[in-house]
Amino acid sequence: MELDFNNELDIDLSEYENLYNKLFAKTLKLLKKNENSIMSVTFVDKPTIHEINKTYRFKDAPTDVISFAFLDDKNEVIIGDIPVDLGEIYICYEVADENRQKYQNSIKRELCFLFVHGLLHLLGYDHQTKEQEEQMFPLQEVILEGEL
């Protein structure tokens, strides 16, 4: 398991590297996924996430998290010793902080929620339909439980 942790901000977010590694390992184990997986997470500012959202999702607004999954199907089985690159997650600290205030969470809870949410997207989970929401959202809480 390998997490490439990138911070493009002038904020010390180093405490999240170990926490994200722990959440990554817990998620892979819980979902019985290949533990020889690689992914990256990058903290970006509001203009950067806005541009990514506009370019790739055709939404002209900033957002809190965007995931780019490299696998097509959450049921895809990967066998062997070759590391699997799951994809990339981009988290906007500024929008996360706005969400924290709106939902009355700690910034730690919000940033961990966004990481897990993005990771589940990398693993093929979605929330476009009610059925998908009913699967993905409780799973996020199970993964976060006891970690914050």
Side-chain angles (χ1 to χ4, degrees), residues 63-76:
T63 189
D64 49 10
V65 63
I66 295 178
S67 300
F68 294 98
F70 295 166
L71 298 178
D72 294 328
D73 183 352
K74 76 176 179 183
N75 297 316
E76 191 170 349

Side-chain angles (χ1 to χ4, degrees), residues 38-146:
I38 300 168
M39 63 162 292
S40 71
V41 61
T42 303
F43 286 95
V44 297
D45 61 17
K46 219 173 188 178
T48 301
I49 202 95
H50 186 154
E51 187 59 35
I52 293 169
N53 204 21
K54 184 177 178 181
T55 301
Y56 295 100
R57 296 182 65 226
F58 310 107
K59 297 187 179 192
D60 192 10
T63 189
D64 49 10
V65 63
I66 295 178
S67 300
F68 294 98
F70 295 166
L71 298 178
D72 294 328
D73 183 352
K74 76 176 179 183
N75 297 316
E76 191 170 349
V77 177
I78 309 296
I79 299 173
D81 295 332
I82 299 171
V84 177
D85 194 341
L86 300 176
E88 303 171 346
I89 298 172
Y90 293 87
I91 297 174
C92 179
Y93 184 92
E94 292 164 90
V95 178
D97 192 45
E98 292 168 7
N99 290 348
R100 171 196 66 80
Q101 295 171 37
K102 179 178 174 182
Y103 299 119
Q104 299 181 341
N105 289 329
S106 69
I107 192 64
K108 184 176 182 179
R109 167 121 175 54
E110 194 63 33
L111 291 174
C112 288
F113 171 84
L114 293 174
F115 174 76
V116 170
H117 185 87
L119 176 55
L120 289 176
H121 279 305
L122 295 185
L123 293 169
Y125 289 83
D126 212 337
H127 47 88
Q128 298 295 321
T129 67
K130 181 113 174 112
E131 293 78 22
Q132 290 172 332
E133 278 184 10
E134 289 171 353
Q135 184 179 26
M136 184 175 175
F137 292 169
L139 184 54
Q140 292 172 156
E141 295 307 319
V142 167
I143 294 165
L144 289 168
E145 189 174 305

